[in-house]
Amino acid sequence: MQGMSERQYAAHVGLSRGAIQKAKTAERLVLHPDGSIDAAASDARRAETTDLSKSRPKAAAGSGGMKPVPAAAIAAVGETLRESGVSVPEVGEGATYMKARTANEIMKAQERKLRLQKQKGELVDRMRAERLVFRLAREEREAWVTWPARVAAMMAAELQAEIGDGNRVEAALMQKVLETHVRAQLASLAEIRPRLG
């Protein structure tokens, strides 16, 4: 054999054997009379006829033939995993598709776990929980706001019985004092904000 076989030439230029066969069919390779490939002449012809804007670059050494993943994509996956409380594997600039895929699989497993916890009732919808807490707080506040009007007359009567007939306790005055203190207490409670995060 005077030149290289298809496999040898494919390894020489870093392409697949199928790509070499296509180039051979398109007559972009120089062949010896025995059908083997003249490497130097074929390299020159391919350089003349190849549109560099459409060609794929060779894989970086040590990447296992995988293309590097953009750092922004890795950072986005890492951020999502950290938010979920998952430890993120160390990934640098030369991160490969396999590393990104591993991170993606971890994230999908976390999503499945969360979905299962929600189905079991171990997790609740945050918006629904916030609405429920707000409604409960509003109902509690309304109950306290109306409380002085309900109990003022009874409290005035009890106090009247304790202090005797000489001093009169007005129910309206009792209600006014109670409302003042209840509203002050509710105002201080309004400063408390539930933390669901």
Side-chain angles (χ1 to χ4, degrees):
M1 193 189 298
Q2 292 174 304
M4 295 183 169
S5 68
E6 288 177 358
R7 283 185 212 278
Q8 291 169 332
Y9 189 69
H12 166 73
V13 293
L15 295 172
S16 68
R17 185 170 176 218
I20 298 306
Q21 289 172 340
K22 285 180 185 177
K24 193 173 180 181
T25 304
E27 297 179 356
R28 291 176 52 221
L29 301 179
V30 178
L31 304 177
H32 289 290
D34 65 353
S36 63
I37 300 168
D38 181 343
S42 292
D43 288 347
R45 184 176 287 175
R46 282 184 57 250
E48 293 169 5
T49 59
T50 301
D51 182 359
L52 295 177
S53 66
K54 294 181 181 177
S55 66
R56 289 185 267 182
K58 283 187 183 179
S63 69
M66 296 290 187
K67 293 181 187 176
V69 177
I74 294 293
V77 171
E79 183 179 331
T80 304
L81 291 173
R82 277 190 287 282
E83 285 173 2
S84 301
V86 179
S87 61
V88 181
E90 193 65 37
V91 231
E93 282 291 323
T96 64
Y97 173 77
M98 286 304 288
K99 289 180 184 176
R101 186 171 174 140
T102 301
N104 187 43
E105 290 300 317
I106 292 169
M107 189 170 62
K108 287 196 302 192
Q110 282 291 42
E111 287 173 349
R112 283 192 296 269
K113 180 181 175 185
L114 290 173
R115 202 174 14 230
L116 183 61
Q117 286 176 323
K118 191 172 182 179
Q119 287 173 349
K120 288 181 174 180
E122 296 171 2
L123 295 178
V124 294
D125 184 308
R126 181 187 180 106
M127 292 297 288
R128 184 170 178 256
E130 286 177 356
R131 283 193 305 268
L132 187 63
V133 167
F134 179 76
R135 192 180 85 213
L136 181 63
R138 188 177 58 220
E139 289 172 0
E140 186 84 15
R141 184 183 186 287
E142 288 170 4
W144 276 104
V145 166
T146 59
W147 180 75
R150 290 194 323 263
V151 299
M154 290 187 312
M155 290 176 76
E158 287 176 20
L159 284 173
Q160 185 68 43
E162 289 292 320
I163 60 174
D165 289 335
N167 297 324
R168 182 125 173 98
V169 177
E170 293 290 325
L173 182 61
M174 174 68 75
Q175 182 177 341
K176 186 176 179 182
V177 170
L178 281 173
E179 283 176 352
T180 302
H181 289 289
V182 166
R183 288 188 187 280
Q185 176 65 8
L186 289 173
S188 69
L189 291 175
E191 295 172 11
I192 300 170
R193 298 277 178 225
R195 297 180 193 276
L196 300 175

